[in-house]
Amino acid sequence: MGLSGCAMLAPAPPENQSNICEIFREQPDWYDYAHASEERWGTPIATQMAFIERESSFRSHVKPPRRKLLGFIPWTRPSSAYGYAQAQDPVWGEYEDDAGRLFARRTHMKHATDFIGWYNARTHRMAGVSLHNPEHLYLAYHEGQGGYRSGSWRGKPAVRRAARQVAANAARYRGQLAACEAELRCDGLFEIWPFCR
């Protein structure tokens, strides 16, 4: 499969996706983006990154695989999901309007983390899910707030399993981040770790 010029310029997925400290050391700007999203919307950094790992494995231009017509002819995709957060067209449009992000791109980590923060803040507001409950935030992310409230996820073992995996990953990332976040915050010209906090 060929890559577009934009995809070729995008950062390569991190080599060690099981360690958030290594992810942010490879891509220090990603920490800044996730931190800004947490400050704006309230979703912890570890939860944001666990969502992105689950949705795209940190691949910027990924889309769902095409269906096959007659078993071998490439056909339509099952959804319009795209980018780091696998946001679909309708909800991305809502995000652009509601969050004032008219020129946001799903292939940019800054906008993907902000989108996840915005979406989870809406889940908290509409469905009452705590921003510190990654399992149920992910259920609402996958099913939509309406689907979450109606309990559509209860009959979907694969979705429930994915949500538990996201929660476990978020917990692991949170523990790792506690050990390296002071270092990651030191990105100013005159800031030298471990002397800055």
Side-chain angles (χ1 to χ4, degrees), residues 37-48 51 115-138 140 145 170 174:
S37 175
E38 180 181 28
E39 291 285 302
R40 186 180 189 194
W41 303 110
T43 294
I45 292 170
T47 298
Q48 296 175 49
F51 273 41
F115 170 80
I116 289 169
W118 168 82
Y119 194 92
N120 287 343
R122 192 167 77 161
T123 294
H124 175 66
R125 186 173 67 251
M126 295 173 64
V129 179
S130 168
L131 293 175
H132 298 280
N133 186 341
E135 180 176 349
H136 282 261
L137 288 173
Y138 186 77
Q145 287 92 10
R174 183 168 61 249

Side-chain angles (χ1 to χ4, degrees), residues 85-102:
Q86 288 295 281
Q88 298 191 43
D89 292 350
V91 72
W92 187 260
E94 292 176 34
Y95 161 69
E96 289 178 313
D97 292 341
D98 190 48
R101 299 293 199 201
L102 185 60

Side-chain angles (χ1 to χ4, degrees), residues 2-28:
L3 294 174
S4 71
C6 291
M8 292 174 67
L9 294 174
E15 289 185 18
N16 183 2
Q17 298 187 12
S18 66
N19 189 310
I20 198 170
C21 298
E22 293 304 314
I23 291 169
F24 286 147
R25 284 174 185 137
E26 279 190 46
Q27 299 293 338

Side-chain angles (χ1 to χ4, degrees), residues 15-72:
E15 289 185 18
N16 183 2
Q17 298 187 12
S18 66
N19 189 310
I20 198 170
C21 298
E22 293 304 314
I23 291 169
F24 286 147
R25 284 174 185 137
E26 279 190 46
Q27 299 293 338
D29 286 346
W30 290 4
Y31 171 79
D32 296 334
Y33 301 150
H35 184 260
S37 175
E38 180 181 28
E39 291 285 302
R40 186 180 189 194
W41 303 110
T43 294
I45 292 170
T47 298
Q48 296 175 49
M49 299 308 281
F51 273 41
I52 291 171
E53 191 279 331
R54 176 71 199 186
E55 290 297 292
S56 67
S57 298
F58 300 101
R59 292 174 294 165
S60 61
H61 288 68
V62 69
K63 297 178 181 180
R66 292 184 180 277
R67 298 184 179 98
K68 297 292 176 62
L69 182 65
L70 304 176
F72 66 95

Side-chain angles (χ1 to χ4, degrees), residues 103-179:
F103 300 106
R105 291 179 289 134
R106 286 175 276 185
T107 56
H108 196 297
M109 185 62 77
K110 178 179 182 179
H111 305 140
T113 53
D114 195 68
F115 170 80
I116 289 169
W118 168 82
Y119 194 92
N120 287 343
R122 192 167 77 161
T123 294
H124 175 66
R125 186 173 67 251
M126 295 173 64
V129 179
S130 168
L131 293 175
H132 298 280
N133 186 341
E135 180 176 349
H136 282 261
L137 288 173
Y138 186 77
L139 289 170
Y141 192 80
H142 192 279
E143 298 293 293
Q145 287 92 10
Y148 177 82
R149 287 185 308 217
S150 72
S152 63
W153 49 273
R154 295 182 190 278
K156 298 179 179 180
V159 173
R160 296 175 70 178
R161 185 166 54 251
R164 289 193 298 271
Q165 291 169 349
V166 166
N169 201 17
R172 181 173 67 250
Y173 280 171
R174 183 168 61 249
Q176 294 165 344
L177 190 60

